[in-house]
Amino acid sequence: MTATSSDRTPSLTANGFAIDRSSDAFAELVPADELLDDPDELRAAMADRGYLLFRRLLDPDVVLAARREILLKYAILGEVDDRHPVDEAIAGDGSGVATANLRAFSESVRTGQHYLAVTDAPAVIRLQETLLGGPVKTFDMRWPRFVRPGEGCGFHCDGPYMNRGTDRIFSCWIPLGRVRREEGALMLLENSHRSERLHQGYLTADADRDGLEWLDDDPAAVRAAYGTRWLSTDFEPGDVLCFGMHMLHGALDNRSLNGRCRLSSDSRYQRMDDPADPRWNGDEFDGHGGRRVFYPGLGRWNNEDFQDEWKHVDERGRLVIANDS
Ligand SMILES: O=C(O)CCC(=O)C(=O)O
């Protein structure tokens, strides 16, 4: 029997749950490239769809330089197997993670010059200025994300994590290299930005004060409760996905068959004249507090105490990980 193309399409999961790919449950994100030069249409589309996807908003070479800069650092930890070309991001044994200074590592990754050239690219800043109607700043914290095969991300909105200053903020999810659906692409829940249930409950919370965990991990249950269809796509270097604080999202699991890790970035933008969330802005911002560093993955805790993304370290920056992961 010959294989059909659907036989060869890997199945998609999120948090280990199969994704229903029927047309009323799952669809493609719609690009907004043709709106880029029309500020009113752009703002209207953001209000209507809750997201804007741009293909090749960024120069792919700038993105790929950031990719290489970051993957070389992960290769030092053994997280990338450099018996393959480093740019392929094939997962290594991570043998250096336990003994490395992850505080220094994490800062080095998120302050790399090639990485900053992506998050703060003129095209991204112009887009944000159009959406926000004035001069903008990038949050001082940036979230470069390395996602190993088998890993994903629980469902949440960004609001409760970012909204102590204002909720006039947009997130940009930027693939740092190709990210096919089955390699862990971001997924947004269509129309969730209008969900009254979210607005009356979850979106009034402050993630730290209220000890939020992931909202849920079951994509079908979340879809039924808060939106219409899950939306995702295959991403290429140069693409940018922008969405607001009320959009419910998560990620498809990275199910790469050849061990490819997913590399992407989250960055946030707000008007300069709006108050900034002190968790992520200022000379010595303190994130979720305590002695921890942004180092996503390595286990699943339903994000209790932010552990899926933030890892406790000792005074020398060495990983201190809970035994029950
Ligand atoms: O890239 C991911 O897996 C999740 C990113 C995300 O949802 C976020 O940072 O808010």
Side-chain angles (χ1 to χ4, degrees), residues 64-75:
L64 292 174
R67 175 179 180 82
R68 185 163 182 80
E69 175 182 82
I70 294 174
L71 290 178
L72 283 170
K73 295 177 185 180
Y74 274 94

PDB file of all heavy atoms in Angstrom, residues 64-75:
ATOM      1  N   LEU A  64      18.247  34.476  11.604  1.00  0.00           N
ATOM      2  CA  LEU A  64      19.117  33.292  11.638  1.00  0.00           C
ATOM      3  C   LEU A  64      20.430  33.585  12.366  1.00  0.00           C
ATOM      4  O   LEU A  64      21.026  32.684  12.973  1.00  0.00           O
ATOM      5  CB  LEU A  64      19.363  32.785  10.213  1.00  0.00           C
ATOM      6  CG  LEU A  64      18.086  32.213   9.564  1.00  0.00           C
ATOM      7  CD1 LEU A  64      18.330  31.847   8.103  1.00  0.00           C
ATOM      8  CD2 LEU A  64      17.557  30.992  10.336  1.00  0.00           C
ATOM      9  N   ALA A  65      20.863  34.842  12.350  1.00  0.00           N
ATOM     10  CA  ALA A  65      22.058  35.204  13.130  1.00  0.00           C
ATOM     11  C   ALA A  65      21.749  35.082  14.622  1.00  0.00           C
ATOM     12  O   ALA A  65      22.584  34.600  15.409  1.00  0.00           O
ATOM     13  CB  ALA A  65      22.511  36.619  12.778  1.00  0.00           C
ATOM     14  N   ALA A  66      20.548  35.482  15.019  1.00  0.00           N
ATOM     15  CA  ALA A  66      20.146  35.336  16.433  1.00  0.00           C
ATOM     16  C   ALA A  66      20.057  33.851  16.792  1.00  0.00           C
ATOM     17  O   ALA A  66      20.462  33.420  17.880  1.00  0.00           O
ATOM     18  CB  ALA A  66      18.812  36.025  16.672  1.00  0.00           C
ATOM     19  N   ARG A  67      19.514  33.081  15.870  1.00  0.00           N
ATOM     20  CA  ARG A  67      19.407  31.634  16.108  1.00  0.00           C
ATOM     21  C   ARG A  67      20.793  31.037  16.387  1.00  0.00           C
ATOM     22  O   ARG A  67      20.986  30.322  17.360  1.00  0.00           O
ATOM     23  CB  ARG A  67      18.787  30.981  14.867  1.00  0.00           C
ATOM     24  CG  ARG A  67      18.719  29.465  14.928  1.00  0.00           C
ATOM     25  CD  ARG A  67      18.066  28.904  13.675  1.00  0.00           C
ATOM     26  NE  ARG A  67      17.994  27.462  13.703  1.00  0.00           N
ATOM     27  CZ  ARG A  67      17.048  26.761  14.334  1.00  0.00           C
ATOM     28  NH1 ARG A  67      16.102  27.384  14.980  1.00  0.00           N
ATOM     29  NH2 ARG A  67      17.049  25.440  14.319  1.00  0.00           N
ATOM     30  N   ARG A  68      21.737  31.377  15.541  1.00  0.00           N
ATOM     31  CA  ARG A  68      23.077  30.798  15.704  1.00  0.00           C
ATOM     32  C   ARG A  68      23.709  31.263  17.022  1.00  0.00           C
ATOM     33  O   ARG A  68      24.305  30.478  17.755  1.00  0.00           O
ATOM     34  CB  ARG A  68      23.951  31.183  14.515  1.00  0.00           C
ATOM     35  CG  ARG A  68      25.285  30.531  14.576  1.00  0.00           C
ATOM     36  CD  ARG A  68      26.032  30.536  13.258  1.00  0.00           C
ATOM     37  NE  ARG A  68      27.295  29.841  13.425  1.00  0.00           N
ATOM     38  CZ  ARG A  68      27.415  28.514  13.411  1.00  0.00           C
ATOM     39  NH1 ARG A  68      26.385  27.753  13.231  1.00  0.00           N
ATOM     40  NH2 ARG A  68      28.600  27.960  13.601  1.00  0.00           N
ATOM     41  N   GLU A  69      23.549  32.554  17.312  1.00  0.00           N
ATOM     42  CA  GLU A  69      24.115  33.095  18.551  1.00  0.00           C
ATOM     43  C   GLU A  69      23.600  32.308  19.766  1.00  0.00           C
ATOM     44  O   GLU A  69      24.356  31.939  20.665  1.00  0.00           O
ATOM     45  CB  GLU A  69      23.703  34.571  18.673  1.00  0.00           C
ATOM     46  CG  GLU A  69      24.112  35.253  19.961  1.00  0.00           C
ATOM     47  CD  GLU A  69      23.606  36.693  19.984  1.00  0.00           C
ATOM     48  OE1 GLU A  69      22.411  36.918  20.332  1.00  0.00           O
ATOM     49  OE2 GLU A  69      24.389  37.602  19.652  1.00  0.00           O
ATOM     50  N   ILE A  70      22.313  32.031  19.771  1.00  0.00           N
ATOM     51  CA  ILE A  70      21.704  31.363  20.926  1.00  0.00           C
ATOM     52  C   ILE A  70      22.049  29.868  20.944  1.00  0.00           C
ATOM     53  O   ILE A  70      22.402  29.303  21.986  1.00  0.00           O
ATOM     54  CB  ILE A  70      20.178  31.588  20.913  1.00  0.00           C
ATOM     55  CG1 ILE A  70      19.878  33.068  21.134  1.00  0.00           C
ATOM     56  CG2 ILE A  70      19.492  30.717  21.971  1.00  0.00           C
ATOM     57  CD1 ILE A  70      18.413  33.444  20.991  1.00  0.00           C
ATOM     58  N   LEU A  71      21.987  29.233  19.786  1.00  0.00           N
ATOM     59  CA  LEU A  71      22.241  27.780  19.767  1.00  0.00           C
ATOM     60  C   LEU A  71      23.683  27.463  20.139  1.00  0.00           C
ATOM     61  O   LEU A  71      23.954  26.421  20.761  1.00  0.00           O
ATOM     62  CB  LEU A  71      21.886  27.195  18.399  1.00  0.00           C
ATOM     63  CG  LEU A  71      20.383  27.172  18.099  1.00  0.00           C
ATOM     64  CD1 LEU A  71      20.129  26.625  16.691  1.00  0.00           C
ATOM     65  CD2 LEU A  71      19.614  26.340  19.130  1.00  0.00           C
ATOM     66  N   LEU A  72      24.609  28.331  19.773  1.00  0.00           N
ATOM     67  CA  LEU A  72      26.003  28.096  20.185  1.00  0.00           C
ATOM     68  C   LEU A  72      26.104  28.082  21.704  1.00  0.00           C
ATOM     69  O   LEU A  72      26.846  27.294  22.291  1.00  0.00           O
ATOM     70  CB  LEU A  72      26.918  29.174  19.601  1.00  0.00           C
ATOM     71  CG  LEU A  72      27.269  29.009  18.119  1.00  0.00           C
ATOM     72  CD1 LEU A  72      27.967  30.259  17.592  1.00  0.00           C
ATOM     73  CD2 LEU A  72      28.151  27.771  17.905  1.00  0.00           C
ATOM     74  N   LYS A  73      25.324  28.941  22.345  1.00  0.00           N
ATOM     75  CA  LYS A  73      25.352  28.974  23.818  1.00  0.00           C
ATOM     76  C   LYS A  73      24.733  27.702  24.377  1.00  0.00           C
ATOM     77  O   LYS A  73      25.249  27.109  25.334  1.00  0.00           O
ATOM     78  CB  LYS A  73      24.642  30.237  24.329  1.00  0.00           C
ATOM     79  CG  LYS A  73      25.390  31.510  23.915  1.00  0.00           C
ATOM     80  CD  LYS A  73      24.675  32.792  24.334  1.00  0.00           C
ATOM     81  CE  LYS A  73      25.417  34.004  23.766  1.00  0.00           C
ATOM     82  NZ  LYS A  73      24.808  35.299  24.099  1.00  0.00           N
ATOM     83  N   TYR A  74      23.625  27.252  23.783  1.00  0.00           N
ATOM     84  CA  TYR A  74      23.022  25.991  24.255  1.00  0.00           C
ATOM     85  C   TYR A  74      23.955  24.807  23.992  1.00  0.00           C
ATOM     86  O   TYR A  74      23.961  23.826  24.743  1.00  0.00           O
ATOM     87  CB  TYR A  74      21.646  25.770  23.615  1.00  0.00           C
ATOM     88  CG  TYR A  74      20.543  26.455  24.388  1.00  0.00           C
ATOM     89  CD1 TYR A  74      20.112  27.729  24.044  1.00  0.00           C
ATOM     90  CD2 TYR A  74      19.973  25.843  25.500  1.00  0.00           C
ATOM     91  CE1 TYR A  74      19.130  28.376  24.784  1.00  0.00           C
ATOM     92  CE2 TYR A  74      18.988  26.476  26.237  1.00  0.00           C
ATOM     93  CZ  TYR A  74      18.574  27.741  25.874  1.00  0.00           C
ATOM     94  OH  TYR A  74      17.611  28.372  26.618  1.00  0.00           O
ATOM     95  N   ALA A  75      24.749  24.902  22.929  1.00  0.00           N
ATOM     96  CA  ALA A  75      25.699  23.812  22.649  1.00  0.00           C
ATOM     97  C   ALA A  75      26.760  23.729  23.753  1.00  0.00           C
ATOM     98  O   ALA A  75      27.227  22.634  24.096  1.00  0.00           O
ATOM     99  CB  ALA A  75      26.346  24.014  21.284  1.00  0.00           C
TER     100      ALA A  75
END
